[in-house]
Amino acid sequence: MVTLTLVLVGLLLLLPLLLVFITALRSGLGPYLQALQLPDTQAAVRLSLLTVLIAVPLNTVFGVSAAWATAKFDFPGRSLLLTLIDLPLAISPVISGLVYVLLFGRQGWLGPWLEANDLKIIFAPAGIILATTFVTFAYVARELIPVMQAQGRDDEEAALTLGASGWQTFMRVTLPNIRWALLYGVIMCNARALGEFGAVSVVSGKIRGLTNTLPLHVEILYNEYQTVAAFAVASLLALFALLTLALKALIEARTGRAHT
Amino acid sequence: MTTLPSRRQARRHVLPGLPLTLGYATLYLSLIVLIPLAALILKAATLGADGFLDAVTSPRVLAALRVSFFTALAASLINVPIGLTIAWTLTRYRVPGRRLIDALIDLPFALPTAVAGITLTTLLAPNGWLGAPLAEAGIRVAYTPLGIIVALTFIGLPFVVRSLQPVLEDLGPEPEEAARSLGATPTQTFWRVTLPALYPALLSGFTLALARTVGEYGSVVFISGNLPFKTEIAPLLIVGKLEQYDYAGAAAVAVAMLVISVALLLAANTAQARLSRRGER
């Protein structure tokens, strides 16, 4: 049983991970660093960072709001809202991009109006940010809702009775209570946002240096048979994935929480 | 007397923020998810009922939907025994490096799908580390449906393991020890005692994996070879239709995929409810 597990984990998980780094460094450190310093790579890094820096905070604010409303209160339509929050998780990434093309694309519902006002969303960074936001929509909310529900509202009510304002109660009572779950959600949201491919690929148009995120840049390099460069950029993303796993394990150890 | 209702009211509203947070959550949900999804359905509706049916029942679309569905189904089924083995080992045995393996299980979740795609393709291509020996044995993986299944198995693995782990941890060895002391063989104990207790978790892991993999794109496009009628998945067909500016056709395929996903989730929820009811009895 143990041997079988080690073989499975080795073949399915460890071997692919090793392949990324070995292929990236196949021609030595020089070409590896060179690939990372290409202007197109640098532009992809910048666009990916911009996307993450907008999409993750947006979904974090939403996640906290949605969790406050659904975990601390009961109201008609609550379970419908919970189902709708999960909806983006059940939708193919490609469809998550497609919906924005149909809305903002040249033939889309708002396309003519956007064009008349010289605004560009599809084949521009705005579309990439929107599609990424859609895909990672539920990540923070889903972590927070069960935790906040389990904590109930006693702590908050005590703080309010003692004279704290609503905002003080949130900052000094709720936020410390949910900080690990919040961090966990943000980390997972961040990992998915940085790595999203399908949704972004539909709305990006893949204009080099302008609308290429890191995963799209990997695809282009790979399709151009620039294998070392493709895996060099991929290794950046893999390193980030390893960092995500380490942080995740750290939070799990810290809080003694079960796996999700 | 007059203070009573107002005090009750005050008590009911002691926790503030519902209008603000609910209002914001609903607005944001509508802007990011609901309105765009409505645009999709409206676009598909412009085809009319006949046009829609024609679009989603064209042979190439049906073939792509079949490839997406059956490869996802196969991969999720394969993940049941694989996930069970790994989750079992991680919860029941003292393995060297257990925490490292445990953390690594989420790699498919954290690793961008495009990276997984090019990596698995390079690994399994006819000249790859694993592809070369397999090719010698006459097995082609990359650029065949088998390649799609391998990629989807990779993507779905954490869902099965993570569904099983907490249940296995809670289960404890007692029921199994009881069965053994009553004379059951290890095999009987596994099939009649342990496995039935795991059915709900196995089903939920299987469903989560299926829901995630049926629409998967990034890890598949590199390894599948993308041959129409053979290894073309439905999401790729949507991309193809978009590139030909067939927006309504793309929307129609997307709606068909959505219907399949929602039906899968409903079926799974029903089965889940039935299984856990049986467990209580």
Side-chain angles (χ1 to χ4, degrees):
Chain A
M1 202 74 168
V2 177
T3 324
L4 186 58
T5 296
L6 292 177
V7 170
L8 285 171
V9 170
L11 277 181
L12 269 170
L13 302 173
L14 211 52
L15 197 60
L17 195 58
L18 283 176
L19 183 132
V20 174
F21 293 103
I22 291 177
T23 315
L25 293 163
R26 199 169 61 187
S27 318
L29 206 57
Y32 177 80
L33 292 175
Q34 216 170 12
L36 297 184
Q37 281 159 358
L38 288 175
D40 286 348
T41 308
Q42 298 283 321
V45 169
R46 277 195 299 272
L47 181 56
S48 276
L49 285 180
L50 176 73
T51 305
V52 165
L53 282 177
I54 295 177
V56 175
L58 277 179
N59 284 337
T60 305
V61 173
F62 163 73
V64 173
S65 297
W68 182 270
T70 58
K72 304 277 181 199
F73 298 92
D74 200 5
F75 48 87
R78 179 177 166 276
S79 63
L80 176 69
L81 181 63
L82 288 174
T83 311
L84 290 176
I85 290 174
D86 279 349
L87 196 59
L89 293 173
I91 292 176
S92 169
V94 167
I95 300 178
S96 313
L98 170 70
V99 291
Y100 292 108
V101 176
L102 297 177
L103 205 54
F104 300 122
R106 191 170 256 200
Q107 295 180 35
W109 301 107
L110 298 175
W113 182 82
L114 287 172
E115 212 161 353
N117 288 280
D118 213 16
L119 292 168
K120 212 165 154 73
I121 293 182
I122 300 306
F123 303 155
I128 292 174
I129 293 165
L130 275 175
T132 305
T133 307
F134 184 106
V135 171
T136 56
F137 184 81
Y139 278 62
V140 177
R142 267 176 74 94
E143 288 303 326
L144 286 183
I145 291 169
V147 171
M148 278 171 78
Q149 205 158 5
Q151 279 166 354
R153 42 197 284 179
D154 294 353
D155 289 2
E156 282 83 4
E157 275 168 0
L160 289 164
T161 314
L162 291 171
S165 71
W167 181 247
Q168 281 174 325
T169 306
F170 173 75
M171 291 303 284
R172 304 222 188 130
V173 177
T174 314
L175 208 52
N177 276 342
I178 60 169
R179 63 182 191 278
W180 292 114
L182 184 63
L183 185 62
Y184 194 94
V186 168
I187 288 171
M188 297 319 282
C189 187
N190 192 49
R192 181 71 200 263
L194 188 67
E196 180 48 31
F197 177 74
V200 168
S201 137
V202 171
V203 294
S204 130
K206 296 174 194 164
I207 308 160
R208 290 181 88 131
L210 284 178
T211 62
N212 259 355
T213 61
L214 280 172
L216 295 176
H217 192 50
V218 169
E219 182 200 22
I220 289 189
L221 291 172
Y222 180 82
N223 286 341
E224 286 173 350
Y225 297 100
Q226 302 195 42
T227 309
V228 168
F231 276 95
V233 179
S235 77
L236 278 188
L237 291 166
L239 275 178
F240 196 83
L242 289 178
L243 181 68
T244 302
L245 294 185
L247 284 172
K248 191 169 176 287
L250 210 66
I251 296 175
E252 275 165 4
R254 185 86 198 228
T255 55
R257 60 174 278 166
H259 315 274
T260 47
Chain B
M1 283 305 265
T2 48
T3 59
L4 197 62
S6 71
R7 213 161 82 205
R8 202 154 80 224
Q9 216 168 9
R11 166 109 195 92
R12 194 147 44 93
H13 289 291
V14 71
L15 205 57
L18 178 65
L20 177 70
T21 53
L22 182 61
Y24 179 69
T26 316
L27 176 72
Y28 184 76
L29 174 76
S30 308
L31 286 177
I32 299 288
V33 179
L34 299 182
I35 293 173
L37 276 181
L40 169 75
I41 292 164
L42 283 175
K43 190 74 196 181
T46 58
L47 287 169
D50 290 342
F52 178 80
L53 277 180
D54 281 349
V56 297
T57 55
S58 87
R60 187 163 167 189
V61 172
L62 281 181
L65 287 172
R66 254 200 305 271
V67 170
S68 276
F69 181 73
F70 282 107
T71 51
L73 186 70
S76 307
L77 283 173
I78 293 168
N79 264 329
V80 168
I82 294 182
L84 184 57
T85 307
I86 294 176
W88 186 278
T89 308
L90 288 177
T91 47
R92 294 291 169 92
Y93 293 92
R94 299 185 52 137
V95 196
R98 198 192 70 87
R99 295 194 56 175
L100 199 66
I101 298 175
D102 190 67
L104 208 56
I105 297 299
D106 284 317
L107 180 71
F109 198 76
L111 193 70
T113 52
V115 176
I118 65 165
T119 306
L120 292 173
T121 311
T122 307
L123 196 61
L124 293 161
N127 58 354
W129 292 356
L130 292 179
L134 283 170
E136 243 165 77
I139 305 169
R140 280 198 54 194
V141 184
Y143 320 122
T144 70
L146 194 57
I148 305 178
I149 294 174
V150 172
L152 296 181
T153 305
F154 177 82
I155 296 294
L157 179 68
F159 293 95
V160 181
V161 177
R162 294 307 186 214
S163 297
L164 282 169
Q165 254 175 331
V167 182
L168 275 169
E169 266 159 22
D170 286 349
L171 201 58
E174 292 85 5
E176 288 156 37
E177 281 165 7
R180 296 281 283 126
S181 72
L182 290 169
T185 64
T187 323
Q188 282 174 326
T189 309
F190 176 76
W191 287 104
R192 305 240 184 115
V193 177
T194 316
L195 201 56
L198 298 176
Y199 282 157
L202 277 173
L203 183 73
S204 97
F206 167 79
T207 318
L208 287 172
L210 188 62
R212 171 66 209 272
T213 53
V214 81
E216 175 57 20
Y217 177 72
S219 59
V220 176
V221 281
F222 297 98
I223 204 168
S224 71
N226 308 326
L227 281 175
F229 295 100
K230 288 211 172 71
T231 57
E232 184 177 60
I233 54 169
L236 187 76
L237 196 62
I238 294 178
V239 173
K241 284 185 184 291
L242 270 180
E243 278 166 3
Q244 294 157 15
Y245 300 102
D246 179 9
Y247 283 29
V253 179
V255 168
M257 283 187 71
L258 279 182
V259 170
I260 293 176
S261 302
V262 171
L264 276 178
L265 285 179
L266 283 181
N269 282 344
T270 319
Q272 186 90 39
R274 208 169 282 168
L275 267 181
S276 46
R277 255 207 316 279
R278 205 175 66 189
E280 279 158 24
R281 243 190 272 147

